[in-house]
Amino acid sequence: MSIPKAPRLVLASASPRRLDLLRQIGIVPDAVDPADLDETPLPRELPPQHALRLAGEKAACVAARHPDSWILAADTVVACGRRILPKAEQDGEARKCLALLSGRRHRVYGGVVLLVPDAEGGHRRLERLVRTDVTFKALSDPETRDYLASGEWRGKAGGYAIQGRAAALIRWIGGSYSNVVGLPLHEVAGLLHGSGFPPS
């Protein structure tokens, strides 16, 4: 009698924050295999649609390399109204993001896609879209300057990291905190459990 193979979980992300978040709830992926995609929004694409589309494309790209594995992919979008803020790489980019967020409420959308192997050799798709509302205090020039000097905004959607120094700049949050960091843990745990993935 053959012993069934233990299922493998592949995280389709290069984000160390997502890996740390999964470890926080006792989930350690068997592999980390990021997808290299063009993340430019499509014309008239709304922020929630953008988050789910990219999560799905990341998952599909990585699933082709791991046909027998569970594939977990996510995308985080920071939005002011219909406007999708960039992942800031330059000082000026981050400064513009902070100016836009200062004293205002914005939304963070987390798109999560889990691909589960099926009996036909393909994958079944499960997905969740999570929204968190975040309000920044009105930022003074010194506060903006000090935050930019920290450098922790680099590569972060919307030009800030809520788990770092930006926590002191955020007046209110409604919804999932971990979603703003990069992965809505309650929803991810539910998807894995509901798909039959064994608990750690």
Side-chain angles (χ1 to χ4, degrees), residues 70-188:
W70 269 251
I71 311 295
L72 178 64
D75 192 74
T76 305
V77 172
V78 175
C80 276
R82 297 165 63 97
R83 180 174 178 178
I84 297 172
L85 275 61
K87 292 181 180 177
E89 296 294 348
Q90 304 297 326
D91 186 282
E93 219 175 13
R95 187 180 296 276
K96 287 179 182 177
C97 287
L98 292 174
L100 190 62
L101 298 175
S102 175
R104 296 179 59 181
R105 181 177 299 185
H106 65 277
R107 293 173 177 174
V108 179
Y109 294 97
V112 179
V113 170
L114 178 68
L115 298 184
V116 181
D118 61 27
E120 287 73 42
H123 283 90
R124 176 168 55 100
R125 173 172 165 153
L126 305 172
E127 64 180 47
R128 293 289 183 274
L129 179 68
V130 178
R131 187 187 105 183
T132 306
D133 294 336
V134 182
T135 302
F136 263 70
K137 63 173 290 189
L139 302 178
S140 67
D141 288 341
E143 284 172 328
T144 299
R145 188 168 56 249
D146 288 348
Y147 188 69
L148 291 172
S150 75
E152 72 172 21
W153 48 267
R154 199 174 304 277
K156 308 296 193 303
Y160 74 94
I162 194 172
Q163 71 275 23
R165 297 185 183 193
L169 309 177
I170 290 169
R171 191 162 55 83
W172 178 86
I173 178 172
S176 169
Y177 170 83
S178 65
N179 181 49
V180 186
V181 180
L183 198 65
L185 292 178
H186 173 75
E187 289 74 14
V188 167

